[in-house]
């Protein structure tokens, strides 16, 4: 119990207090601990956490498959995906490059072989080979995932008179290099899958806003108005909508509001006609500028919403979160909060 | 009149798959046939552009790539435009990543930003430091001592052997910090643990949805500015005088937003009619 409970609590207390008060104490050792050592400890622990996370994923998904829990088939896919990524990352590199050190007496023949195999224009390759300085080397753009393919091409190039070497991508850098299995998986599996998931949002947002953005009460109306202004004001089409068009819409909305409040159609009609006349006169006198008066220009209104009501709300949220974090951190440091040890 | 209202109500109960189809068409048509809507730079984008423009040649800029392929369509144009700008200005670019997919995004953005066309040399003009796990601790490590955190770059080259790493100890050695970030860890962490303690000016490119979270820091003067989502990227490309994917995507986004707004208005009309009919029934 001592090792499982008291020791972890003591470590958290000492490190927590040191890190917290270190910001207020100018002492080289403490400062160095906070700036360098503690940060490095965290990095090392985070690296190990990646391994633990991977093992945990395998354990949980494996249990799901073995116990035939609901939708266990997806867990099989997860495990296969994990193993494939592991294989591509740690066991199979690919990325075999052909390097030409000397084209011999027949650069035309060498260029022809390369052009046939890589589908690059013959003239372009030949130009590059002819310009290859003595003692220099040229690496072909195309790299091969399988060694056997690279060897076959190298052999053909040698028969054409060239001196060639095969260079394989280093472990580590193979993750980002063309022609490796890992990079191929990233470009052709991971990227399209993630992009598809994110792109689906557009459709769901459209459908959800159609069904949920309703003028049910005052708050919902405010949300709806702000949403429409932001959606149009943020994109170029918003800057093409004239302020006078917005003014006409506002007059109509005002007429509807007056009509509903006073329950009098004549007053509503008069206010709408009066408003429309006023806007028309003002527009004619000012020459209908698209962005004046600025307070009716959608890009300006959206900027105002971002800079004032939005910032006010976000600051309140951020201060609230910060206070909550201070409270939780103190609870952890003082040993009141023990959920990180699995206790309630 | 009641027939028209019935039709409107019937349309109001349209299957969501029809909505999906209309949105798909609304996005696809402008992508295939660009309208070329005018893009006007907003103050936030202009501030970032001016700040980078004001950096003298040879200045050191850290550009962190903190996103993955999910947000690539929105973030990539920002990354490419900013890299293109800093290369035009002949600045030295250092790229760390807080997200595991960051190095892949950065490598692709470097290629598209025109490193080859501008004759930029790896290790002399730019370096891809890569991903390290640890989130905020990575930022703190860079702010404190880079060599403790990065001993090799993404291509397994020793940091000490990279010419442009000479004399670099920590974040204080940089003139500017830019983050292309889509969430946590990202801009806020760079600001709190990197820029604020060291005093290095920071700007960011964020997804539109993240702007709410980041904009208070611009307002307080802790950040230079934000390039907000794809519209921000399009504005930056306009300032650069460069045609990129940001500007190409803006027509599609404009039309998609307009269609969604029309859907919302139509939805409210049907809602109003339904409510009025329900009141009459009772």
């Amino acid at each position: 119990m001592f090792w499982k409970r008291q020791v972890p609590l003591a470590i958290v207390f000492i490190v927590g207090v040191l890190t917290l008060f270190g910001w207020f104490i100018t002492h080289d050792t403490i400062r160095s601990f906070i700036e360098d050592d503690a940060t490095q400890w965290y990095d090392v622990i985070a690296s190990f956490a990646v391994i633990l996370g991977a093992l945990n994923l395998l354990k949980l998904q494996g249990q799901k498959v073995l116990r035939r829990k609901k939708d266990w088939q997806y867990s099989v896919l997860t495990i296969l995906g994990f193993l494939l990524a592991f294989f591509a990352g740690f066991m199979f590199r690919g990325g075999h490059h052909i390097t030409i050190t000397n084209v011999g007496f027949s650069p035309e023949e060498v260029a022809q072989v390369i052009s046939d195999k890589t589908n690059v224009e013959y003239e372009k390759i030949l130009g590059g080979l002819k310009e290859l300085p003595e003692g220099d080397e040229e690496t072909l753009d195309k790299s091969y995932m399988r060694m056997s393919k690279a060897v076959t091409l190298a052999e053909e190039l040698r028969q054409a008179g060239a001196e060639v070497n095969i260079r394989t991508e280093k472990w580590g850098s193979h993750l980002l290099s063309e022609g490796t299995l890992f990079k191929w998986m990233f470009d052709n599996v991971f990227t399209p899958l993630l992009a598809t998931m994110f792109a689906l949002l557009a459709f769901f947002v459209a459908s959800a806003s159609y069904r949920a953005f309703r003028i049910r009460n005052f708050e919902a109306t405010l949300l709806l108005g702000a949403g429409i202004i932001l959606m149009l004001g943020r994109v170029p089409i918003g800057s093409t909508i004239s302020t006078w068009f917005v003014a006409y819409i506002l007059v109509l909305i005002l007429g509807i509001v007056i009509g509903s409040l006073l329950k009098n159609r004549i007053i509503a009609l008069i206010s709408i006609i009066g408003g429309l006349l006023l806007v028309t006169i003002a527009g004619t006198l000012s020459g209908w500028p698209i962005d004046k008066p600025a307070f009716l220009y959608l890009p300006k209104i959206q900027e105002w919403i971002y800079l004032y009501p939005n910032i006010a709300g976000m600051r309140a949220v951020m201060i609230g979160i910060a206070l909550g974090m201070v409270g939780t951190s103190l609870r952890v440091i003082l040993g009141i909060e023990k959920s990180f040890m699995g206790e309630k | 009149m009641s027939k028209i209202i019935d039709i409107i109500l019937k349309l109001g109960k349209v299957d969501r798959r029809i909505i999906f189809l209309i949105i798909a068409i609304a996005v696809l048509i402008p992508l295939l046939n660009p309208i070329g809507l005018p893009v006007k730079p907003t103050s936030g984008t202009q501030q970032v552009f001016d700040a980078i423009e004001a950096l003298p040649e040879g200045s050191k800029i850290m550009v962190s790539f903190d996103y993955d392929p999910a947000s690539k369509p929105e973030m990539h144009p920002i990354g490419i435009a900013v890299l293109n700008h800093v290369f035009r200005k002949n600045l030295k670019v250092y790229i760390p990543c807080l997200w595991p997919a960051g190095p892949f995004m950065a490598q692709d953005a470097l290629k598209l930003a025109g490193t080859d066309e501008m004759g930029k040399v790896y290790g002399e003009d730019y370096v891809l430091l890569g991903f390290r796990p640890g989130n905020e601790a990575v930022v703190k490590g860079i702010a404190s001592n880079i060599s403790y955190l990065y001993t090799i770059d993404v291509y397994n080259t020793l940091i000490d052997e990279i010419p442009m790493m000479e004399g670099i100890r920590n974040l204080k050695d940089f003139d500017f910090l830019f983050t292309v970030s889509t969430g946590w860890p990202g801009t806020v962490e760079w600001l709190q643990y990197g820029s604020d303690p060291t005093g290095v000016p920071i700007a960011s490119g964020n997804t539109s949805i993240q702007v709410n979270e980041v904009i208070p820091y611009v307002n307080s003067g802790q950040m230079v500015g934000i390039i907000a989502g794809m519209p921000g990227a399009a504005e930056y490309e306009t300032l650069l005088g460069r045609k990129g994917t940001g500007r190409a995507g803006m027509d599609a986004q404009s039309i998609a937003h307009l269609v969604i707004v029309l859907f919302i208005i139509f939805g409210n009309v049907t809602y109003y009619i339904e409510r009025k009919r329900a009141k009459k029934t009772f």
Side-chain angles (χ1 to χ4, degrees):
Chain A
M1 200 62 184
F2 174 76
W3 289 104
K4 274 191 167 180
R5 202 161 188 276
Q6 269 80 2
V7 172
L9 282 175
I11 293 172
V12 168
F13 178 78
I14 294 165
V15 175
V17 167
L18 264 178
T19 315
L20 183 63
F21 289 102
W23 286 104
F24 307 102
I25 302 166
T26 314
H27 188 279
D28 286 346
T29 314
I30 296 175
R31 180 64 62 186
S32 157
F33 169 76
I34 296 167
E35 298 285 343
D36 296 329
D37 300 334
T39 310
Q40 281 193 64
W41 289 3
Y42 188 96
D43 290 333
V44 172
I45 293 167
S47 303
F48 275 102
V50 173
I51 301 169
L52 282 177
L55 292 175
N56 198 37
L57 174 109
L58 281 180
K59 185 186 155 192
L60 290 175
Q61 302 298 325
Q63 280 174 349
K64 211 172 167 185
V65 175
L66 289 174
R67 289 172 191 164
R68 294 283 197 276
K69 284 186 180 172
K70 193 178 174 242
D71 295 333
W72 61 272
Q73 295 89 340
Y74 296 118
S75 298
V76 174
L77 276 179
T78 309
I79 294 169
L80 285 177
F82 177 86
L83 293 176
L84 187 60
F86 187 84
F87 177 71
F90 293 99
M91 293 173 177
F92 183 83
R93 267 178 296 179
H96 305 293
H97 303 273
I98 306 274
T99 306
I100 299 171
T101 49
N102 192 340
V103 285
F105 297 107
S106 54
E108 292 82 6
E109 212 175 317
V110 174
Q112 191 60 55
V113 173
I114 297 170
S115 176
D116 291 345
K117 295 287 176 185
T118 59
N119 294 329
V120 180
E121 277 175 51
Y122 168 78
E123 297 295 334
K124 202 176 164 187
I125 298 167
L126 187 63
L129 289 178
K130 279 183 174 171
E131 284 168 17
L132 186 68
E134 188 108 356
D136 218 340
E137 58 179 37
E138 173 87 21
T139 303
L140 300 189
D141 287 340
K142 190 173 179 183
S143 65
Y144 294 87
M145 209 178 286
R146 281 161 54 196
M147 187 61 155
S148 57
K149 279 202 167 184
V151 170
T152 310
L153 178 59
E155 209 48 55
E156 283 181 39
L157 288 169
R158 279 186 195 118
Q159 280 171 10
E163 283 178 25
V164 295
N165 290 321
I166 298 174
R167 180 177 59 81
T168 304
E169 206 60 60
K170 283 187 283 186
W171 284 107
S173 65
H174 75 292
L175 298 177
L176 284 167
S177 304
E178 294 297 335
T180 63
L181 180 60
F182 197 91
K183 182 75 167 54
W184 183 88
M185 278 168 57
F186 187 89
D187 290 341
N188 298 290
V189 182
F190 188 68
T191 300
L193 281 176
L194 273 189
T196 307
M197 289 296 291
F198 203 69
L200 285 176
L201 268 180
F203 298 100
F204 292 123
V205 165
S207 173
S209 43
Y210 174 57
R211 294 179 199 289
F213 257 149
R214 296 283 152 93
I215 307 176
R216 289 197 172 87
N217 50 39
F218 179 67
E219 289 85 356
T221 313
L222 267 187
L223 186 71
L224 176 75
I228 289 178
I229 291 167
L230 282 182
M231 263 194 274
L232 291 178
R234 276 300 299 153
V235 289
I237 208 160
S239 62
T240 61
I241 298 172
S242 167
T243 51
W244 304 99
F245 178 74
V246 178
Y248 282 128
I249 299 279
L250 280 179
V251 167
L252 292 176
I253 293 171
L254 202 69
I256 294 168
V257 172
I258 290 171
S260 338
L261 288 177
L262 301 179
K263 310 270 180 210
N264 189 326
R265 286 182 181 183
I266 295 169
I267 295 176
L269 190 68
I270 291 169
S271 49
I272 287 174
I273 293 170
L276 292 177
L277 272 173
L278 263 177
V279 172
T280 310
I281 292 165
T284 313
L285 288 175
S286 60
W288 305 98
I290 198 167
D291 55 351
K292 299 246 168 24
F295 69 93
L296 291 176
Y297 192 47
L298 286 177
K300 290 283 174 203
I301 307 173
Q302 72 85 22
E303 206 168 314
W304 182 85
I305 291 173
Y306 256 126
L307 290 177
Y308 296 97
N310 170 56
I311 286 184
M314 275 313 294
R315 280 204 177 131
V317 171
M318 285 158 79
I319 291 168
I321 292 171
L323 290 174
M325 281 167 77
V326 169
T328 310
S329 303
L330 281 175
R331 281 172 64 86
V332 171
I333 290 170
L334 297 174
I336 302 165
E337 175 71 49
K338 296 180 203 118
S339 57
F340 68 93
M341 293 197 302
E343 288 184 28
K344 283 183 182 173
Chain B
M1 187 67 183
S2 74
K3 266 190 180 176
I4 297 170
I5 288 172
D6 284 342
I7 292 168
I8 291 173
L9 285 175
K10 214 173 177 184
L11 284 173
K13 285 175 185 137
V14 65
D15 191 285
R16 65 180 182 156
R17 280 167 294 190
I18 304 287
I19 298 174
F20 293 168
L21 186 70
I22 295 170
I23 286 291
I25 294 168
V27 172
L28 209 61
I29 290 175
L31 278 178
L32 297 173
N33 287 306
I35 310 162
L37 288 164
V39 177
K40 288 180 189 167
T42 52
S43 56
T45 311
Q46 186 73 53
Q47 281 160 1
V48 179
F49 182 86
D50 291 344
I52 294 178
E53 192 65 22
L55 292 170
E57 196 170 305
S59 298
K60 297 178 183 76
I61 179 169
M62 186 169 268
V63 183
S64 179
F65 274 71
D66 307 324
Y67 62 97
D68 63 13
S71 47
K72 190 179 172 187
E74 199 173 5
M75 304 310 296
H76 224 43
I78 299 176
I80 295 165
V82 170
L83 283 179
N84 184 267
H85 190 193
V86 297
F87 285 134
R88 279 188 200 184
K89 291 276 306 167
N90 290 323
L91 308 181
K92 304 283 178 197
V93 186
Y94 300 76
I95 306 176
C97 309
L98 301 181
W99 286 43
F104 295 92
M105 301 292 105
Q107 194 187 41
D108 192 51
L110 282 164
K111 206 189 296 171
L112 296 169
T115 42
D116 291 342
E117 292 84 347
M118 285 189 261
K120 298 295 169 188
V121 180
Y122 185 82
E124 288 175 22
D125 300 304
Y126 65 100
V127 62
L128 184 48
L129 296 167
F131 165 74
R132 291 290 179 276
N135 311 320
E136 297 93 334
V138 173
V139 180
K140 221 171 162 314
I142 291 172
S144 155
N145 196 326
I146 290 182
S147 62
Y148 284 171
L149 199 66
Y150 287 99
T151 48
I152 51 168
D153 68 352
V154 286
Y155 303 113
N156 265 358
T157 314
L158 284 169
I159 289 294
D160 297 339
E161 291 172 6
I162 298 171
M164 63 188 287
M165 288 304 291
E166 203 182 312
I168 299 285
R169 193 176 174 273
N170 56 35
L171 198 58
K172 282 181 189 161
D173 295 317
F174 289 86
D175 302 290
F176 201 79
L177 172 60
F178 187 85
T179 79
V180 197
S181 150
T182 195
W184 179 86
T187 304
V188 176
E189 287 66 38
W190 276 109
L191 177 86
Q192 290 175 343
Y193 301 98
S195 169
D196 268 356
T198 57
V200 177
I202 180 173
S204 70
N206 300 101
T207 49
S208 293
I209 204 145
Q210 209 198 347
V211 173
N212 296 335
E213 188 191 344
V214 178
I215 208 160
Y217 296 107
V218 179
N219 195 257
S220 65
Q222 288 165 279
M223 280 181 72
V224 172
I226 308 176
I227 303 176
M230 197 183 271
E235 291 163 16
Y236 209 90
E237 286 168 4
T238 307
L239 288 168
L240 283 173
R242 184 176 193 266
K243 272 201 170 180
T245 45
R247 274 161 88 177
M250 277 329 292
D251 287 345
Q253 202 173 13
S254 285
I255 301 301
H257 279 204
L258 188 66
V259 169
I260 293 174
V261 167
L262 291 176
F263 269 132
I264 293 170
I265 293 168
F266 186 72
N268 276 287
V269 171
T270 54
Y271 174 69
Y272 177 76
I273 296 169
E274 275 173 358
R275 218 168 55 163
K276 215 171 172 190
R277 278 197 174 178
K279 269 185 190 170
K280 271 185 188 172
T281 316
F282 291 104

